[in-house]
Amino acid sequence: MIKIVIIGGGNVATHLANAFSKTNDVSLVQVYARNIEQIEHLKAITSITNSTELLKEADVYIIAVSDDAIGSVSSKINHPNSLIVHTSGSVEMQSIQTKGRKGVFYLLQSFSKDKKVNFDEIPFCLEAENDSDLQLLETLAKSIGKKIYHINSEQRKRLHVAAVFVNNFTNHMYKIGADICNEYQVPFEVLQPLIQETAEKITTLSPEAAQTGPAKRNDQKTIQNHLALLNTEQQEIYKLITKSIQQNGKKL
């Protein structure tokens, strides 16, 4: 059985703690957070602490904190024979401050603390300095998930940028759409079937092949009509994305 300690009290740490606590292949021996109140709700499934000096022995320490804190937090884990990994998509493995074993246990998904996730559908992007540690991380990932990928630091950083476009930026587009709907008293739910269809379409088509709309058609009359309905900030975003779609279309 693999013994693990999770470092962090945020969304990723919480979901991992709950998932690992339900598998027979992994022993979640402890969760650490600087603010103990963040992890009080986990006392029912494991030991908790807010002191790095009281970290229990484990095979793997999973650091799920902000990117800027990974170096300092990892330097305080005084267990040189253990594997220390972080869960960041944009931080290199070598940012872990230890002379011992290092790795990455990156889950490519957007986590909200109060929303359940299906780990079977989440890609696990793994990296380690040697094959045995990579196999250890793979065993750990397979105890709660199914989609396993070996991704190095350079690949992962670029994958993270891609994820920002398809997730964070896309969600901001939903926000703008919702703002427009609210301004004109139209229920945002009217757009939800379209959002769902767009997401499902790219499971069978490439994003390039799935692209539709006035920018793709170069429908200038519709584009100008749309711009007249938008505020200055929305116009800037609309023009920039329209230009990007049209320039990519010219490369076909």
Side-chain angles (χ1 to χ4, degrees):
M1 182 175 289
I2 303 172
K3 295 192 297 182
I4 68 168
V5 169
I6 295 176
I7 311 292
N11 295 339
V12 175
T14 297
H15 281 289
L16 283 176
N18 285 321
F20 281 126
S21 70
K22 297 173 184 176
T23 177
N24 295 325
D25 302 318
V26 175
S27 174
L28 176 62
V29 299
Q30 193 177 47
V31 175
Y32 161 91
R34 185 173 57 181
N35 180 0
I36 197 72
E37 293 180 357
Q38 280 189 299
I39 54 175
E40 284 284 346
H41 63 287
L42 297 176
K43 285 196 299 186
I45 61 174
T46 190
S47 168
I48 64 172
T49 184
N50 63 351
S51 171
T52 53
E53 295 180 357
L54 297 178
L55 289 177
K56 295 186 176 183
E57 290 282 349
D59 301 304
V60 183
Y61 292 83
I62 301 176
I63 300 174
V65 299
S66 65
D67 291 354
D68 292 342
I70 289 173
S72 61
V73 170
S74 60
S75 69
K76 298 175 183 177
I77 302 175
N78 189 25
H79 295 275
N81 295 323
S82 301
L83 176 60
I84 300 175
V85 303
H86 70 64
T87 60
S88 172
S90 59
V91 176
E92 293 185 357
M93 178 174 62
Q94 296 305 324
S95 295
I96 296 174
Q97 300 299 308
T98 177
K99 295 180 180 179
R101 299 148 59 201
K102 306 173 184 179
V104 177
F105 195 77
Y106 172 49
L107 288 71
L108 184 52
Q109 186 53 273
S110 174
F111 290 92
S112 297
K113 187 172 290 188
D114 296 325
K115 187 178 185 302
K116 292 182 179 180
V117 297
N118 181 2
F119 277 93
D120 285 347
E121 296 298 323
I122 296 177
F124 289 76
C125 302
L126 310 178
E127 182 181 9
E129 293 179 307
N130 58 67
D131 290 340
S132 61
D133 282 343
L134 191 60
Q135 182 60 51
L136 175 59
L137 292 181
E138 188 166 317
T139 301
L140 197 60
K142 286 181 177 178
S143 72
I144 58 174
K146 295 180 179 178
K147 297 185 177 183
I148 314 299
Y149 300 88
H150 296 172
I151 305 289
N152 65 39
S153 288
E154 287 303 312
Q155 292 172 320
R156 188 177 65 261
K157 285 191 292 184
R158 285 157 177 78
L159 183 62
H160 190 260
V161 172
V164 167
F165 273 94
V166 303
N167 175 241
N168 305 131
F169 289 176
T170 299
N171 190 74
H172 186 61
M173 296 300 134
Y174 299 157
K175 169 64 166 57
I176 292 174
D179 289 344
I180 294 170
C181 287
N182 291 335
E183 184 178 356
Y184 293 95
Q185 293 81 52
V186 178
F188 179 68
E189 65 186 39
V190 175
L191 293 175
Q192 290 175 350
L194 177 62
I195 293 171
Q196 188 67 33
E197 171 64 17
T198 303
E200 291 178 354
K201 189 184 296 184
I202 59 170
T203 63
T204 56
L205 295 175
S206 70
E208 183 177 300
Q211 186 67 59
T212 62
K216 177 70 173 180
R217 298 189 301 269
N218 195 28
D219 186 345
Q220 287 299 320
K221 184 176 181 179
T222 299
I223 290 171
Q224 293 306 315
N225 288 339
H226 285 173
L227 288 171
L229 298 171
L230 303 175
N231 63 38
T232 302
E233 181 181 357
Q234 292 166 350
Q235 286 176 348
E236 291 179 3
I237 295 171
Y238 188 103
K239 288 177 181 179
L240 183 63
I241 296 176
T242 295
K243 182 179 179 180
S244 180
I245 291 172
Q246 292 176 335
Q247 287 181 335
N248 276 274
K250 292 177 182 178
K251 297 176 183 179
L252 299 179

